[in-house]
Amino acid sequence: MLKAAAGGGGKGIRIVNSAEELESNYNIVKQEAKISFNDDEIYIEKFVKNPRHVEIQILADEHGNVIHLGERDCSIQRRNQKVIEETPSTAIDEKLRNRMGEAAIKAAKAAGYTSCGTIEFLVDSDKNFYFMEMNTRIQVEHPITEERTGIDIVKAQIKIAAGEPLRIKQKDVEFRGCSIECRINAENPSKNFMPCPGTITGLNLPGGNGIRIDTSIYEGYTIPPSYDSMIAKIITHGDTRNEAISKMKRALEETVIEGVDTNLDFLFKIIKNPNFIRGNFDTSFIEKEILK
């Protein structure tokens, strides 16, 4: 796989299946990288077919303390862009979870990293995991980790930047229940997910126990055409995965966004899919199950 070194959001990626494909894809990726990131540096990594995308959230201070806050499963993707995330992952057991957490901490320490960050891995069908990349920032999906651990990651990031030591040790991190996040985008899935900027003329957002909404939209807000189409995140938390899924179904049903097209129905179709409910999916799930 050829990837843009400065890439993100699924851009600047090409799979190479033969030596003949290498040269043409090499030039395409370099061009995409230059246009999207103003940096045409690229690299090569092992291609893992239909993996699970599992990432580990870490916190590292300037005093040598590094902890992880568990994993997030980000396998529900379209064109390498995350759509739904959850924690914990149904793909890994406690032994593998500990190994991945230890690997993430080791990587952060080796790099002398400080702040919050995410070590991203691909997990194959034999439970082998491979380092993919590190995101040296807060991520869109951080709320599900906050809901499951009770730790405010943004607050921790600010305190680390101020030079404060971490107040929590690895043994103090407690994991509770399951949390799921759906990304609400202003786009039209029936028109190849075409972005749909415009003015929101009506809005109702869900609430209640175990429901969290992260957004800045309001009735009358105009979504500009110049940025990513994501306009809100719905996060649910429950004692079990089934409870978190049930809450997400209700939350999606109660959400009303008028004036622009959104992916709400598309997300609901994923959430109610039997294989998603069983935890039987990988990064090819949307193409195989939803868009077939």
Side-chain angles (χ1 to χ4, degrees):
M1 181 177 282
L2 299 175
K3 299 182 73 174
K11 296 179 181 178
I13 298 175
R14 285 290 185 277
I15 297 169
V16 176
N17 297 298
S18 65
E20 290 72 25
E21 293 182 8
L22 181 59
E23 184 174 355
S24 61
N25 280 283
Y26 176 86
N27 292 327
I28 289 172
V29 173
K30 285 187 74 70
Q31 183 179 25
E32 286 184 350
K34 183 67 175 178
I35 292 172
S36 298
F37 312 109
N38 197 33
D39 182 349
D40 67 356
E41 185 175 5
I42 66 175
Y43 64 97
I44 298 174
E45 70 177 26
K46 175 183 174 70
F47 173 62
V48 183
K49 188 176 181 179
N50 298 334
R52 294 287 282 256
H53 181 150
V54 181
E55 60 190 29
I56 304 291
Q57 175 74 60
I58 62 111
L59 292 174
D61 65 22
E62 297 176 357
H63 308 278
N65 302 306
V66 185
I67 63 172
H68 76 81
L69 305 182
E71 84 279 8
R72 295 187 289 259
D73 195 317
C74 308
S75 302
I76 304 298
Q77 305 177 2
R78 188 186 73 85
R79 295 180 180 175
N80 300 305
Q81 179 67 42
K82 300 166 186 175
V83 176
I84 295 176
E85 304 95 352
E86 66 177 282
T87 180
S89 171
T90 61
I92 65 176
D93 55 24
E94 192 64 24
K95 183 178 179 181
L96 182 55
R97 179 175 293 109
N98 291 334
R99 287 175 57 210
M100 294 177 72
E102 290 168 3
I105 289 174
K106 186 176 180 181
K109 287 183 175 180
Y113 183 75
T114 60
S115 188
C116 73
T118 308
I119 314 289
E120 305 207 0
F121 298 99
L122 297 178
V123 181
D124 68 19
S125 57
D126 295 320
K127 306 301 181 183
N128 299 307
F129 66 95
Y130 303 88
F131 171 77
M132 183 171 60
E133 63 185 10
M134 181 178 187
N135 281 301
T136 55
R137 54 178 169 80
I138 197 74
Q139 284 193 275
V140 171
E141 58 271 25
H142 77 275
I144 60 174
T145 299
E146 292 185 334
E147 293 302 305
R148 188 164 179 245
T149 63
I151 295 172
D152 187 327
I153 299 173
V154 176
K155 186 176 181 179
Q157 183 183 27
I158 293 170
K159 287 188 172 184
I160 289 170
E164 294 187 23
L166 286 172
R167 302 296 183 185
I168 187 169
K169 306 296 182 183
Q170 189 64 58
K171 62 181 177 62
D172 300 321
V173 179
E174 297 182 5
F175 300 104
R176 301 183 298 276
C178 177
S179 191
I180 300 174
E181 174 182 282
C182 283
R183 302 187 182 199
I184 311 301
N185 297 332
E187 61 187 11
N188 189 330
S190 66
K191 295 183 178 179
N192 198 28
F193 297 89
M194 179 179 70
C196 297
T199 300
I200 295 174
T201 58
L203 180 66
N204 179 72
L205 297 175
N209 180 43
I211 307 291
R212 168 177 167 176
I213 308 295
D214 281 17
T215 188
S216 62
I217 63 173
Y218 51 87
E219 190 170 325
Y221 176 77
T222 298
I223 302 166
S226 307
Y227 306 101
D228 186 274
S229 61
M230 186 177 69
I231 56 174
K233 300 179 290 186
I234 298 178
I235 303 99
T236 62
H237 182 267
D239 291 336
T240 66
R241 186 171 183 268
N242 284 339
E243 184 180 332
I245 289 174
S246 294
K247 289 182 178 181
M248 184 60 74
K249 287 179 180 178
R250 178 178 62 80
L252 291 173
E253 288 177 324
E254 292 180 358
T255 301
V256 177
I257 302 175
E258 297 177 338
V260 296
D261 293 326
T262 71
N263 65 336
L264 281 167
D265 290 342
F266 178 74
L267 292 169
F268 190 80
K269 189 175 181 180
I270 296 172
I271 287 293
K272 70 177 184 179
N273 180 277
N275 278 323
F276 176 82
I277 293 172
R278 286 192 289 264
N280 181 25
F281 55 81
D282 55 40
T283 54
S284 65
F285 172 83
I286 286 180
E287 285 71 23
K288 292 189 299 187
E289 293 277 340
I290 308 300
L291 298 179
K292 61 183 179 180

